[in-house]
Amino acid sequence: EVQLVQSRAEVKKPGESLKISCTGSGYIFTTHWIAWVRQVPGKGLEWMGIIYPDDSNTRYSPSFRGQVTISADKSLSTAYLQWSSLKASDTAIYYCARLARVFRAFDIWGQGTTVTVSS
Amino acid sequence: DIQMTQSPSSLSASVGDRVTITCQASQDIRNYLNWYQQKPGKAPKLLIYGGSNLETGVPSRFSGSGSGTDFTFTISSLQPEDIATYYCQQYDDPLITFGQGTRLENK
């Protein structure tokens, strides 16, 4: 079964760092881009950025560039999203999703990682 | 950047109704337009890709049409399990944008 499994929910304080993960299985991880998508509670979906695990070629949404870092370890079939200094406004559910080659749709999604930032 | 205007933002409908949602792109995106369904507490699910192609396993009451800048998503006969929020998404290398979402409620 093709799937993306994300790391568990996190509760952090403002200013702390965090790295969440997304591990793929059931397919060749290096052949598909992996994106990160944010969903603030009660709001819509926001594309944050995308990485090609084979060569770590990364592209960011202008809204998120400089705010987060996306990386990947192809030997572990895992993509990462990290923050160096969290803010309360980073509280959200973060999804990873696989970009299909055909028409660039997100065909496989992780279950989501809830990040709560509160003092 | 390409902007996506999705409407309506919310919609009330009854079981059996025909439901239509539209998505308009600020520039020509050919048919790089996809539609998703998201139920509360769940990840989004791909329903339609390339404007009009039904994802494997998705019921045929869901359909999509359009190309260029104007796209339509239709549920031909609303079922109770279709109550959800629906999003369009465009791909314009290297940027990706989602529509604002349409919350479909039971009338």
Side-chain angles (χ1 to χ4, degrees), chain B residues 10-14 19 78 82-84 102-107:
Chain B
S10 64
L11 176 57
S12 291
S14 301
V19 170
L78 187 69
D82 301 336
I83 298 303
T102 296
R103 184 175 177 179
L104 182 52
E105 299 171 333
N106 208 356
K107 188 184 288 184

Side-chain angles (χ1 to χ4, degrees), chain A residues 30-68:
Chain A
T30 51
T31 59
H32 288 75
W33 292 81
I34 295 289
W36 287 96
V37 176
R38 183 175 82 172
Q39 188 166 41
V40 173
K43 302 296 185 183
L45 304 172
E46 301 173 90
W47 173 68
M48 302 175 71
I50 199 162
I51 188 165
Y52 194 66
D54 192 39
D55 61 6
S56 289
N57 183 5
T58 307
R59 300 165 181 177
Y60 291 93
S61 161
S63 300
F64 291 93
R65 186 176 292 118
Q67 309 303 309
V68 296

Side-chain angles (χ1 to χ4, degrees), chain A residues 47-113:
Chain A
W47 173 68
M48 302 175 71
I50 199 162
I51 188 165
Y52 194 66
D54 192 39
D55 61 6
S56 289
N57 183 5
T58 307
R59 300 165 181 177
Y60 291 93
S61 161
S63 300
F64 291 93
R65 186 176 292 118
Q67 309 303 309
V68 296
T69 301
I70 294 171
S71 60
D73 185 335
K74 63 182 179 181
S75 69
L76 297 177
S77 298
T78 299
Y80 302 96
L81 176 66
Q82 68 181 89
W83 297 259
S84 58
S85 181
L86 286 160
K87 304 186 267 293
S89 57
D90 293 318
T91 295
I93 301 172
Y94 294 88
Y95 293 100
C96 63
R98 187 181 83 163
L99 191 70
R101 294 199 200 94
V102 178
F103 292 111
R104 303 305 198 181
F106 294 120
D107 62 345
I108 303 294
W109 290 72
Q111 81 277 20
T113 296

